[in-house]
Amino acid sequence: MTAQRFDLPDIDAFTRPYWDAAADGRLLIRRCAACGAAHHYPREFCPSCWSEDVAWEQASGRATLYTWSVVHLNDLPPFGTRVPYVAAVVDLAEGPRMMTEVVDCEESDLRIGMELHVRFRRDEAHRETADPGAAPEVPAVAVFAPGEARRSGPSGRSGPSGRSGLSRDDQPPAVP
């Protein structure tokens, strides 16, 4: 039996477009049609004006470092094998703040306001599933690094950044 994981999201019908886009190397945020505010983490309503007229939008992947902490000790699986790591809050170019991890950057090089770009990490080691006959769910997680924006393709290797938008058909189903 494998130890419980504390780093894997619960993917549901509402958040599925977000995780599918991440698997394709695209970061999504939500934008309100009523007031124009962008927000992240994904919610079914606007946290600024409470409108339910919100839609998925592809973010640029650009951000600046707002704050960070270097984690040297974490006993929750699998974080113990990743220490030290940089837990951070970034300001996305579109406005929202996002909790994340900064990668490929020495602690001494971190600076508030430094420019970062999204990358996607896929935990290829996570291959368990409740249904042995089902394909394992291996979510790609947005992390940020200095340098050029990159995407993680189906192989999990980084490559040039790609862009594509969402259509109205890509919206999650309405929740009663």
Side-chain angles (χ1 to χ4, degrees):
M1 186 164 136
T2 306
Q4 180 180 3
R5 299 275 305 253
F6 292 90
D7 63 330
L8 300 175
D10 289 327
I11 300 172
D12 59 21
F14 172 70
T15 61
R16 170 71 53 198
Y18 176 84
W19 296 110
D20 287 349
D24 191 36
R26 298 178 295 122
L27 177 64
L28 297 185
I29 59 174
R30 303 278 283 173
R31 185 166 305 272
C32 178
C35 73
H39 65 271
H40 186 82
Y41 63 93
R43 286 163 271 198
E44 296 183 60
F45 62 91
C46 175
S48 296
C49 73
W50 297 91
S51 170
E52 293 181 359
D53 190 8
V54 292
W56 294 105
E57 174 182 298
Q58 184 169 323
S60 67
R62 294 179 295 113
T64 56
L65 184 60
Y66 177 75
T67 191
W68 77 91
S69 179
V70 179
V71 179
H72 294 277
L73 179 64
N74 188 334
D75 60 356
L76 296 175
F79 296 107
T81 62
R82 296 181 186 165
V83 293
Y85 62 89
V86 178
V89 177
V90 298
D91 287 325
L92 299 176
E94 293 77 13
R97 283 201 172 130
M98 178 179 177
M99 292 183 66
T100 188
E101 181 180 348
V102 175
V103 297
D104 299 332
C105 185
E106 295 295 323
E107 177 182 349
S108 60
D109 293 333
L110 294 168
R111 299 285 182 266
I112 290 174
M114 72 185 293
E115 291 185 16
L116 301 170
H117 299 275
V118 73
R119 295 189 181 174
F120 292 87
R121 176 178 57 214
R122 181 171 294 206
D123 182 1
E124 295 296 337
H126 176 65
R127 291 286 178 194
E128 298 94 33
T129 180
D131 178 3
E137 183 112 28
V138 183
V141 177
V143 296
F144 284 78
E148 299 223 4
R150 299 174 73 77
R151 60 177 286 194
S152 175
S155 67
R157 294 186 302 264
S158 293
S161 179
R163 293 187 145 260
S164 64
L166 289 177
S167 71
R168 198 83 162 135
D169 295 334
D170 292 323
Q171 300 302 312
V175 176

